[in-house]
């Protein structure tokens, strides 16, 4: 960086950030005091992030509503939704905003210099000069508003954040997480819900909303972050000249005050809703939580992440195992929660009962006292440290830019003190220090100080309550009805007019040419060539060895795959369970706890899973593989293979006590995932009505799999012998040399060693003959409604256009962007208040439309029915069409990590996707016009003609529309 060109800022600190091959600078804007961090390196994936400390004073969600609202138009970009316009027409690699308990962040990223400048410009204008002062409708749309269609009623609440948080408050895991933090910090902002409690969001006035922005969205309260390869001096000058220099320094009181320690640990009981079909017995949560130091103590914080692994997260970890052995809960987990000024550590038992609370606390304390007195297993500490260090050095965040993840990490320190602002990207000395301290009593002393002798903590019992959701819903209806009845005729008519005015605002087109205020690239700025694959097919003793030569910085990425083409359909759910069992049971030379520690101390991890690949030339065929993935530094390749052999060849499946523990954990976590990712649940189930591949996936990871696990757990004693037999049989059936295929990503110097190890491993697999009865998975349209205790819906329509004779084209990728950020966005999110809306079209023809945290059901299905007419009449000038094309390409040109390049190449190989096909589809995208989009209307009609519907949602909403479904059933029945 040319320091001679930095005029408006003081340079406070410069540091060599050798861990991440960067130079770091801390600056302070002279006029306003705005804090600035620069991380300069050669990464082309540039990141800008501006954050404000936004401590809430109550749970109305004002910080969260502002996060949404400032992106709805500004001084220089006075559109109703410039955020969406950016998504449509930017090559961004990240574009979003986030609300945390004490801060709000606005990050963007792009590899294109001009695009990056455009994104930064729009975001700066949004946060400093939003249109919220001119348009109250923004607050009513994004936050909350009364909705009254006519004077007779009914009166309702609506709003994007209001509905988003209704969905969040429907998840008991999220409710517990929230209550833990609130209980530990009752006198600070962390005692409030920054996202907004639906019971309190309607208490927020428009005036309070504006006042919050005036108070906290000021340069003097800002933290600005720039990362990557760019002209830093130029960016700093732009930020100063266009924004910061227009403000005077302000004394903003946004300090996060510390919670005074408690004299005595708190003991609280809370409720969460369950549906009428769910049991209250064995469905409670117990949480033991303590405050741990503060954010500036990086050594202690990192040590507690290691303790999380050693005490709770690792299979067989002593604290978790003690609680499981005492049958305190079906699942036990914990975490070190940082990113706030006073981090905390929690221990949670799920699937328990309130009367086990005393025993829960007693076991925690006696187990920790024993560990503190006698020492922690050194191998577990080494494994925890190595696991963290491997991830840190690898710095592989998949499609998320590294610079973005670094920014979110540094904000966890920087917002509270400049002193250790770079600590989160200078972690290697911390790992070395912890290796030195392990075995010297350091970790044991942390247990004594923070987990045993610390009274600043809480014990929470979260109990299920049948009918709670219905009672709250009824109370809300009565409250709104009473409010409506209290209004005069004139006031009612005024509310009706306000409702219509908001709809009119939402439906009104932008001023002609207004969209031109949003800067955008040209088609010429887009690379013409599609990113290539790295596939080199080799052979190891007759097995396909698919090699991906990619620079990996000395890390070997291995994927051993066993073809499941001969697997009988009735074995699919057992396959789903097997992937959760292997690596978590005893082997010939290790207990399952020792096994995990050995793997994590020596490698980057071994994971068992299932990979499924659809075929581009078929609507029915697919490949399914049982997959063993591992990663390791080259010098320890032999260790990786030794541990893989240990798992695949010597795992003991006879320990039924351990099998039950795994099944109980799988059930617990699957139950939470089905609801929290309800849109994925609904789409997969809906696709399974006609797609054999989706039916296979559903049987080992969806609702069908959950029902299998639920029944297995409930009747374990009578089914355990059968289970052991099935799992052992499955191992013999699938772990065979003739089924083996290999995918490997690494530098060529490592190839010979990998191939030698694979050859040796292959000779250890099963060769005895087995009976094979080939059967295809059957599909049946069911059109189901799955009821939950939640207050929102996930509404899916699925279908297949290729089965009706239509072909896949790159224009469908553009249509996905158009629908997601125009038709569906406008009708489901803006007007309907749903938090999200998505669509997808696969080369096999499988397609879907789905909503996320949606207050509606029938209305949403009606919106889907309107898609063909919208597509048939689609209008866009050349500029608008180019915007959609650029937005489409941005999703394809995400920088690839070495692991991603190998994985994408492997997937293309097994799906039958060639580089020629990718080039053809890219050309179809780059050359698309309005007629190409309109020509997709019959294809959309073909999808909808399947009439396949699946909804996950509230009991009330689904029962009200029961005639839509062939079957209505509870998602969770016990």
């Amino acid at each position: 960086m040319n320091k001679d060109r930095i005029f408006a800022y003081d340079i406070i600190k410069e540091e060599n950030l050798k861990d991440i091959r960067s130079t770091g600078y801390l600056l302070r804007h002279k006029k306003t005091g705005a804090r600035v961090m620069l991380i300069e390196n050669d990464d082309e994936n540039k990141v800008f992030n501006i954050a404000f400390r936004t401590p809430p004073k109550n749970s109305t969600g004002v910080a969260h509503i502002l996060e949404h609202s400032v992106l709805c138009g500004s001084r220089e970009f006075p559109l109703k939704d410039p955020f969406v316009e950016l998504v449509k027409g930017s090559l961004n690699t990240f574009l979003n905003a986030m609300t945390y308990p004490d801060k709000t962040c606005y990050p963007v990223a792009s590899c294109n210099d001009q695009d990056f400048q455009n994104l930064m410009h729009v975001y700066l204008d949004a946060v400093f000069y939003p249109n919220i002062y001119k348009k109250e409708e923004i607050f009513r749309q994004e936050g909350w508003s009364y909705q009254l269609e006519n004077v007779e009623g009914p009166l309702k609440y609506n709003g994007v954040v209001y509905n988003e948080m209704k969905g969040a408050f429907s998840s008991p895991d999220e409710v517990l997480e929230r209550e833990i933090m609130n209980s530990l910090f009752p006198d600070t902002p962390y005692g409030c819900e920054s996202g907004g409690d639906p019971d309190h969001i309607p208490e927020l006035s428009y005036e309070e909303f504006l006042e919050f922005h005036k108070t906290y969205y000021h340069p003097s309260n800002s933290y600005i972050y720039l990362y990557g390869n760019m002209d830093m001096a130029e960016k700093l000058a732009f930020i100063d000249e266009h924004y910061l220099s227009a403000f005077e320094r302000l004394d903003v009181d946004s300090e996060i005050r510390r919670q005074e320690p408690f004299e005595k640990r708190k003991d609280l009981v809370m409720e969460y809703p369950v549906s009428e079909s769910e049991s209250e017995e064995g469905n409670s949560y117990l949480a033991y939580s303590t405050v741990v130091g503060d954010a500036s103590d990086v050594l202690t914080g990192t040590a507690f992440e290691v303790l999380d692994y050693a005490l709770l997260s690792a299979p067989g970890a002593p604290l978790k195992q003690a609680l499981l052995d005492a049958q305190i809960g079906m699942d036990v987990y914990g975490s070190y929660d940082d990113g706030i000024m006073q981090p905390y550590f929690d221990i949670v038992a799920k699937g328990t009962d309130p009367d086990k609370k005393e025993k829960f606390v007693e076991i925690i304390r006696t187990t920790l006292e024993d560990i503190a007195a006698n020492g922690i297993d050194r191998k577990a500490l080494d494994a925890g440290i190595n696991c963290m260090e491997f991830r840190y050095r690898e710095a592989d965040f998949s499609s998320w830019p590294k610079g973005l993840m670094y920014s979110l990490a540094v904000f966890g320190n920087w917002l509270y003190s400049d002193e250790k602002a770079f600590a989160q990207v200078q972690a290697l000395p911390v790992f070395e220090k912890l290796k030195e301290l392990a075995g010297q009593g350091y970790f044991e002393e942390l247990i004594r100080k923070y987990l045993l002798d610390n009274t600043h903590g809480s014990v929470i019992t979260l109990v299920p309550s049948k009918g709670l959701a219905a009672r709250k819903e009824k109370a809300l209806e009565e409250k709104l009805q009473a409010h409506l009845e209290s209004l005069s005729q004139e006031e009612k008519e005024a509310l009706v007019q306000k409702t219509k005015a908001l709809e009119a605002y939402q439906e009104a087109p932008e001023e002609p040419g207004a969209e031109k205020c949003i800067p955008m690239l040209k088609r010429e700025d887009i690379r013409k060539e599609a990113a290539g694959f790295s596939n080199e097919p080799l052979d190891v003793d007759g097995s396909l060895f698919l090699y991906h030569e990619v620079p990996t910085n000395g890390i070997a990425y291995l994927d051993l795959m066993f073809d499941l083409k001969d697997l009988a359909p009735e074995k699919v759910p057992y396959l789903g369970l097997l992937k959760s069992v292997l690596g978590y049971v005893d082997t010939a030379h290790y207990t399952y706890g020792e096994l995990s520690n050995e793997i994590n101390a020596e490698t980057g991890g071994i994971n068992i899973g299932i990979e499924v690949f659809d075929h581009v030339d078929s609507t029915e065929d697919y490949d399914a593989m049982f997959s063993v993935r591992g990663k390791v530094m080259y010098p320890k390749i032999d260790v990786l293979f030794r541990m893989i052999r240990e798992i695949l060849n010597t795992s003991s499946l006879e320990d039924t006590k351990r099998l039950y523990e795994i099944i109980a954990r799988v059930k617990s976590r699957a139950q939470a995932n089905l609801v929290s990712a309800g849109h994925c649940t609904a789409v997969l189930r809906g696709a399974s009505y006609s797609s054999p591949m989706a039916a296979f996936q559903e049987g080992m990871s969806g609702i069908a799999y959950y029902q299998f696990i639920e029944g297995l757990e409930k009747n374990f004693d009578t089914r355990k012998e059968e289970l052991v037999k099935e799992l052992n049989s499955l191992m013999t059936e699938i772990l065979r040399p003739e089924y083996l295929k290999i995918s490997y990503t690494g530098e060529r110097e490592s190839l010979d060693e990998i191939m030698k190890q694979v050859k040796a491993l292959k000779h250890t697999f099963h060769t005895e003959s087995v009976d094979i009865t080939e059967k295809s998975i059957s599909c049946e349209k069911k059109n189901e409604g799955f009821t939950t205790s939640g207050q929102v819906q996930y509404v899916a329509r699925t279908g297949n256009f290729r089965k009706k004779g239509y072909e896949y084209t790159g224009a469908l990728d553009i249509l996905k962007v158009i629908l997601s950020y125009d038709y569906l966005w406008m009708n489901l999110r803006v007007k309907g208040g749903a938090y999200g809306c998505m669509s997808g079209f696969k080369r096999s023809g499988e397609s879907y439309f789905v909503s996320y945290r949606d207050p509606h059901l029938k209305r949403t299905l009606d919106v889907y029915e309107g898609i063909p007419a919208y597509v048939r009449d689609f209008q866009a000038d050349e500029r608008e069409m180019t915007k959609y094309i650029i937005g489409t390409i941005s999703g394809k040109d995400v920088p690839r990590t070495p692991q991603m390049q190998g994985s994408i190449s492997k997937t293309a190989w097994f799906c039958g996707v060639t580089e020629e096909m990718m080039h053809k589809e890219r050309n179809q995208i780059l050359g698309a016009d309005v007629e190409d989009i309109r020509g997709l209307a019959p294809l959309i009609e073909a999808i909808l003609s399947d009439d396949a519907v699946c909804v996950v949602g509230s009991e009330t909403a689904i029962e009200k529309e029961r005639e839509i479904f062939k079957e209505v059933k509870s998602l969770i029945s016990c």
Side-chain angles (χ1 to χ4, degrees), residues 48-50 52 66-67 70 96-97 104-108 123 127 217:
F48 164 81
N49 196 347
I50 182 166
F52 302 91
L66 259 178
E67 176 231 302
V70 300
N96 214 327
T104 310
C105 303
Y106 296 87
V108 298
Y123 262 44
V127 296
Y217 279 62

Side-chain angles (χ1 to χ4, degrees), residues 53-333:
R53 288 200 303 214
T54 51
K57 295 181 175 65
N58 53 44
S59 294
T60 58
V62 58
H64 188 188
I65 296 169
L66 259 178
E67 176 231 302
H68 282 241
S69 300
V70 300
L71 297 173
C72 293
S74 64
R75 179 186 64 180
E76 291 192 41
F77 308 103
L79 300 177
K80 286 188 289 188
D81 213 334
F83 171 78
V84 170
E85 295 303 312
L86 280 176
V87 173
K88 291 178 191 173
S90 160
L91 289 174
N92 73 84
T93 54
F94 189 87
L95 182 69
N96 214 327
M98 303 98 149
T99 304
Y100 292 89
D102 57 10
K103 59 184 171 284
T104 310
C105 303
Y106 296 87
V108 298
S110 180
C111 295
N112 182 284
D113 290 338
Q114 186 57 53
D115 188 47
F116 179 75
Q117 177 67 29
N118 296 345
L119 295 170
M120 188 174 73
H121 189 183
V122 173
Y123 262 44
L124 282 165
D125 207 65
V127 296
F128 289 127
Y129 298 107
N131 274 354
I132 57 175
Y133 296 93
K134 301 176 183 177
K135 302 284 186 181
E136 184 182 351
E137 292 91 344
I138 296 172
F139 167 70
R140 296 179 60 223
Q141 171 182 290
E142 299 299 320
W144 77 276
S145 66
Y146 286 118
Q147 191 173 43
L148 186 65
E149 300 294 338
N150 56 68
V151 291
E152 289 79 26
L155 181 64
K156 296 179 181 178
Y157 290 135
N158 201 9
V160 173
V161 169
Y162 177 74
N163 291 318
E164 176 190 352
M165 297 311 293
K166 280 177 74 176
F169 271 65
S170 298
S171 162
D173 296 84
E174 290 193 48
V175 169
L176 179 64
E177 184 182 327
R178 190 170 295 112
E179 295 294 359
I180 289 172
M181 182 182 286
N182 296 168
S183 73
L184 295 173
F185 309 103
D187 306 316
T188 78
Y190 304 136
C192 304
E193 175 46 56
S194 63
D197 182 335
D199 290 344
H200 296 289
I201 288 173
E203 296 168 7
L204 179 66
S205 71
Y206 177 54
E207 291 71 28
E208 290 168 325
F209 165 77
L210 296 180
E211 187 59 34
F212 195 90
H213 181 270
K214 285 176 190 169
T215 303
Y216 296 116
Y217 279 62
H218 189 280
S220 300
N221 187 44
S222 68
Y223 294 76
I224 299 169
Y225 170 97
L226 287 165
Y227 165 97
N229 184 1
M230 69 186 86
D231 186 335
M232 293 289 188
E234 177 188 82
K235 295 292 179 275
L236 290 171
F238 172 82
I239 294 169
D240 168 60
E241 291 164 12
H242 281 75
Y243 293 100
L244 304 186
S245 62
F247 294 83
E248 300 299 325
R249 186 183 290 256
L250 195 64
D251 184 13
V252 180
D253 182 11
S254 64
E255 182 185 353
I256 314 299
R257 289 166 178 78
R258 297 182 64 83
Q259 174 68 49
E260 290 299 316
F262 304 155
E263 292 183 5
K264 182 182 177 184
R265 186 179 295 275
K266 291 193 172 186
D267 195 330
L268 304 167
V269 179
M270 317 251 177
E271 288 185 323
Y272 78 93
V274 292
S275 64
E276 290 297 332
S277 61
E278 292 180 71
S279 171
E280 291 181 331
E281 184 180 349
N283 230 345
S284 292
Y285 291 70
L286 294 168
Y288 180 103
S289 310
T290 59
V291 175
V292 176
D294 61 52
S296 64
D297 188 349
V298 180
L299 183 68
T300 299
T302 309
F304 261 95
E305 292 191 58
V306 174
L307 278 174
D308 172 25
Y309 172 87
L311 296 176
L312 284 164
S313 297
L319 183 51
K320 170 163 58 174
Q321 199 59 48
L323 290 164
L324 289 174
D325 287 347
Q327 298 184 329
I328 296 299
M330 294 180 66
D331 191 11
V332 173
Y333 57 91

